[in-house]
Amino acid sequence: MGDWEGVRLHVVTGKGGTGKTTVAAALALALAAGRRQVLLVEVEERQGLAQLFDVPPLPYEDRKLAVARGGGDVYGLAVDSREAMYEYLDMYYRLGRAGRALDRFGVVEFATTVAPGMRDVLLTGKTYEATRRQRPDGTPVYDAVVLDAPPTGRIVRFLSVNTAVRSLARIGPINRHAAAITALLCSPETAVHTVTLLEEMPVQETADTVADLQRAHIPAGAVVVNQVRRPHLGSRDLAAARRGPLDHESVGNGLRAAGMPASAGMVNELLEEAAAHAERVALETHQRAAVAALQRPTYELPQLPDGVDLAGLYELGDSLTAQGAA
Ligand SMILES: Nc1ncnc2c1ncn2[C@@H]1O[C@H](COP(=O)(O)OP(=O)(O)OP(=O)(O)O)[C@@H](O)[C@H]1O
Ligand SMILES: [Mg+2]
């Protein structure tokens, strides 16, 4: 049993470049373990999932991406706002393929690019549909949906867009659909996880996002501290390296004992590196305390030395499982 039993929609946000796509994929693998079916959805129209799983570009339909530990499946879906617009026109106006004809008048172009709010309506609508999709016998197609979501700066507006839709369309099917999406996003079936690094800006954005989500009545989930590096020095050496340079002679002796060249210049460079490293570790300790103060379930993921490949994703997924995330 993981920390998120009962959650059907996992939204993964974070400052740009912190590892949203990577963490969303690792979480999907963790959630799918033990014969579960999980859909990983991307909405940024960059084919990030195809790149990450090293498969051809994803079409606008679910494709199997990977098999999880114990036989579950992770599917991927790249939501394309243009295709989602055709679906939308068909759903509300019964336009069918005729919706595509609107392209000629620039309607679809306008709705998906010029009116950014409309784009978010389409993307959240498609995510909702995937979360609620059922088999003929009424059971859900997916045990969980993981959304590789927009970054922290845009996430609350993105998830709140249907509230605005309801104030524009006060009755009728568009209102009802927007109400259903809002109900899901504001329910315990949703959790918005934030990915951060142990650096000031992403941690600050994480704190702001957790507060903004609470104000919008959208459930904040975990904080995932990504790309954590282990300190190269023990705590006593780190403290000494912050107070002043480490001992030149003993570092030189250490190098020579290891059969390494130990010129004075080389030793000086190492001492500078040690001081910078100690400074960084101290800053990270400070940021870790700021994360703890948010009082959210928190998971740490290591920085993989060779970057993220499929084996690395499984490793990160296993780490999430071991920490209770799934
Ligand atoms: N735990 C990790 N160990 C090593 N490299 C990582 C780790 N997590 C992410 N990366 C690398 O960091 C980079 C950014 O990761 P990713 O693409 O997942 O971030 P993102 O938040 O989705 O970025 P964007 O904001 O551009 O969508 C990638 O090169 C990825 O391989
Ligand atoms: Mg990404």
Side-chain angles (χ1 to χ4, degrees):
M1 282 253 191
D3 293 342
W4 309 100
E5 211 59 38
V7 170
R8 306 282 320 286
L9 175 60
H10 296 262
V11 178
V12 180
T13 186
K15 186 178 178 334
T18 51
K20 294 179 292 297
T21 305
T22 304
V23 170
L27 179 62
L29 278 171
L31 291 168
R35 315 199 70 77
R36 289 159 66 92
Q37 305 292 301
V38 176
L39 180 68
L40 190 48
V41 178
E42 71 172 304
V43 292
E44 300 275 51
E45 305 187 69
R46 287 195 314 197
Q47 290 290 340
L49 297 180
Q51 273 177 39
L52 186 56
F53 285 89
D54 200 17
V55 297
L58 296 175
Y60 186 53
E61 61 184 37
D62 313 2
R63 279 289 152 88
K64 191 149 142 179
L65 288 177
V67 175
R69 307 253 190 236
D73 297 306
V74 173
Y75 289 81
L77 170 67
V79 182
D80 176 89
S81 53
R82 183 170 290 262
E83 291 294 331
M85 185 74 207
Y86 298 139
E87 268 185 8
Y88 187 90
L89 291 170
D90 190 36
M91 180 159 65
Y92 292 115
Y93 303 103
R94 308 259 178 272
L95 285 176
R97 300 225 134 223
R100 290 168 197 264
L102 290 172
D103 253 2
R104 271 187 281 143
F105 307 110
V107 173
V108 174
E109 178 76 17
F110 175 79
T112 55
T113 62
V114 183
M118 184 64 205
R119 189 168 173 275
D120 292 351
V121 170
L122 296 168
L123 301 176
T124 52
K126 187 66 189 174
T127 306
Y128 169 81
E129 183 270 322
T131 310
R132 287 281 179 254
R133 202 179 303 161
Q134 294 183 344
R135 296 199 184 87
D137 67 359
T139 56
V141 171
Y142 292 110
D143 297 299
V145 171
V146 181
L147 175 63
D148 177 11
T152 32
R154 286 194 284 124
I155 189 65
V156 176
R157 191 146 45 120
F158 175 80
L159 294 174
S160 306
V161 71
N162 289 284
T163 311
V165 170
R166 292 189 69 197
S167 61
L168 294 171
R170 291 184 176 275
I171 51 168
I174 292 182
N175 178 288
R176 282 198 297 278
H177 192 226
I181 298 173
T182 302
L184 170 66
L185 292 175
C186 296
S187 80
E189 284 188 297
T190 295
V192 182
H193 310 301
T194 309
V195 182
T196 187
L197 308 176
L198 288 176
E199 293 170 11
E200 191 175 343
M201 285 293 289
V203 169
Q204 185 58 52
E205 289 195 17
T206 299
D208 294 345
T209 301
V210 168
D212 292 347
L213 287 168
Q214 278 160 356
R215 264 192 296 277
H217 306 291
I218 301 170
V223 176
V224 182
V225 180
N226 191 27
Q227 309 204 33
V228 174
R229 293 167 287 191
R230 283 177 140 279
H232 300 309
L233 299 174
S235 52
R236 206 182 314 155
D237 288 336
L238 284 172
R242 285 193 78 203
R243 276 196 304 272
L246 294 175
D247 184 51
H248 195 290
E249 194 181 326
S250 56
V251 171
N253 289 341
L255 283 174
R256 275 184 286 274
M260 311 272 287
S263 66
M266 163 88 81
V267 173
N268 280 333
E269 265 177 46
L270 274 177
L271 297 185
E272 271 172 37
E273 261 181 48
H277 177 66
E279 200 54 40
R280 200 198 76 212
V281 172
L283 289 173
E284 287 181 355
T285 304
H286 189 66
Q287 295 307 326
R288 199 175 257 121
V291 168
L294 298 174
Q295 296 189 304
R296 305 301 317 156
T298 300
Y299 315 118
E300 292 206 0
L301 294 176
Q303 181 171 59
L304 300 174
D306 304 318
V308 182
D309 57 5
L310 191 58
L313 283 181
Y314 282 100
E315 194 180 314
L316 297 177
D318 289 346
S319 174
L320 286 171
T321 304
Q323 294 175 73

